[in-house]
């Protein structure tokens, strides 16, 4: 049985679930144009907070992540691009399935969908950061990005360097950007200059669509 989760940690879990969903969707779009074989398998390596055991929060997140995303996918299915330049063949081979969906107000319906739980939890591992070079790299990147967005460090050179490691796509509102900013702080207002920083990172970022595709369009 899952242990009770404080509201603040539950909110963080929901936010992390949205992050995982967004990362999965954008990864699929990016590699479907470039290296589609990579989409046959998703491996999730999570920085463990306690190398000797899985914490309560980590256990809750691991056990609830799949069901949360499955529920989300009913109202907001995973977005894939239907275009010859996007090859999802290996992705479909690994994760496409058929399921019966239950509805409170109408009969069950059999639909083709993606096995989100398999995609997220089949290759899911908590590891100590000191043993994984890539985890350490992500920690360094996340630390610099957090400090930049918080205004602790500044400079277009830093913004461009971090931006080159980001993928640009169009989000809600139709404007291309390299990342979405979300806060759970109760303090009103935002940092002056934040949008200029985001714009600089976006200009330096990598396009979701292949450059050759852009030239043809």
């Amino acid at each position: 049985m899952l242990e009770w989760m404080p509201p603040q940690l539950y909110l963080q879990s929901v936010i992390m679930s949205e992050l995982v969903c967004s990362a999965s969707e954008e990864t699929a779009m990016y590699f479907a144009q470039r290296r589609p074989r990579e989409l046959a398998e998703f491996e999730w390596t999570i920085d463990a907070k306690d190398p000797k055991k899985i914490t309560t929060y980590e256990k809750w997140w691991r056990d609830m992540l799949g069901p949360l995303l499955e529920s989300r996918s009913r109202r907001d299915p995973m977005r894939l691009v239907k275009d010859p330049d996007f090859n999802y063949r290996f992705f479909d081979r690994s994760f496409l399935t058929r399921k019966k969906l239950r509805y409170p107000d109408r009969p069950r319906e059999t639909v083709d969908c993606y096995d989100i739980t398999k995609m997220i939890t089949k290759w899911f591992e908590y590891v100590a950061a000191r043993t994984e070079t890539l985890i350490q790299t992500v920690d360094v990147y996340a630390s610099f990005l957090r400090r930049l967005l918080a205004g602790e460090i500044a400079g277009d050179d830093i913004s461009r360097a971090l931006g080159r490691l980001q993928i640009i796509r169009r989000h809600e509102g139709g404007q291309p950007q390299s990342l979405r900013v979300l806060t759970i702080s109760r303090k009103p207002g935002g940092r002056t200059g934040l949008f200029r920083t985001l714009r600089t990172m976006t200009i330096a970022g990598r396009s979701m669509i292949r450059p050759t595709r852009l030239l043809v369009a």
Side-chain angles (χ1 to χ4, degrees):
M1 180 178 294
L2 293 173
E3 299 182 42
W4 177 81
M5 179 63 58
Q8 183 73 2
L9 291 185
Y10 173 78
L11 177 59
Q12 292 177 11
S13 296
V14 172
I15 293 173
M16 288 299 295
S17 298
E18 292 294 319
L19 173 62
V20 169
C21 184
S22 177
S24 302
E25 189 175 89
E26 295 187 10
T27 295
M29 289 183 185
Y30 189 84
F31 281 96
Q33 303 169 80
R34 296 165 174 86
R35 298 167 61 185
R37 288 181 179 273
E38 298 291 336
L39 298 179
E41 184 175 298
F42 279 61
E43 296 183 7
W44 300 88
T45 304
I46 314 298
D47 185 6
K49 300 307 177 185
D50 186 337
K52 297 182 179 179
K53 66 177 183 179
I54 296 178
T55 66
T56 299
Y57 173 62
E58 291 169 342
K59 179 179 183 298
W60 191 94
W61 195 61
R62 180 196 62 191
D63 294 343
M64 288 301 297
L65 183 59
L68 279 173
L69 294 181
E70 286 284 355
S71 177
R72 181 188 187 280
S73 67
R74 288 195 179 191
R75 67 179 187 277
D76 187 11
M78 188 173 184
R79 291 181 287 270
L80 305 179
V81 180
K82 294 182 180 180
D83 185 282
D85 283 350
F86 289 75
N87 181 358
Y88 291 103
R89 180 163 54 94
F90 297 94
F91 184 75
D92 290 347
R93 185 182 299 171
S94 294
F95 304 110
L96 188 63
T97 186
R98 293 180 65 84
K99 286 187 178 182
K100 288 186 177 181
L101 298 182
R102 297 180 176 88
Y103 299 95
D105 56 347
R106 66 177 188 265
R108 295 182 181 181
E109 179 183 0
T110 301
V111 298
D112 291 326
C113 59
Y114 290 101
D115 191 336
I116 304 297
T117 301
K118 177 183 178 182
M119 186 176 71
I120 300 299
T121 61
K122 184 175 181 180
W123 297 279
F124 190 95
E125 183 182 14
Y126 286 107
V127 300
R130 65 175 181 273
T131 67
E132 290 286 337
T133 301
L134 289 179
I135 290 289
Q136 296 172 19
T137 302
V138 171
D139 277 346
V140 172
Y141 175 82
S143 176
F144 270 94
L145 182 59
R146 179 192 62 77
R147 292 171 61 196
L148 178 67
L149 297 179
E152 297 175 6
I153 56 176
D156 288 349
D157 53 340
I158 299 176
S159 299
R160 283 191 289 268
L162 295 176
R164 283 193 289 270
L165 300 175
Q166 300 169 6
I167 298 175
I168 305 168
R169 62 167 297 186
R170 293 185 183 276
H171 295 290
E172 294 78 2
Q175 294 298 320
Q177 59 190 73
S178 55
L179 56 84
R180 282 172 285 181
V181 179
L182 176 66
T183 179
I184 58 175
S185 172
R186 296 180 179 179
K187 296 181 180 179
R191 182 176 69 81
T192 302
L194 177 60
F195 291 105
R196 182 179 184 278
T197 298
L198 292 177
R199 185 170 62 252
T200 302
M201 285 194 292
T202 297
I203 293 172
R206 301 182 182 187
S207 173
M208 173 62 73
I209 308 300
R210 284 188 310 175
T212 54
R213 175 72 171 175
L214 290 174
L215 291 175
V216 171

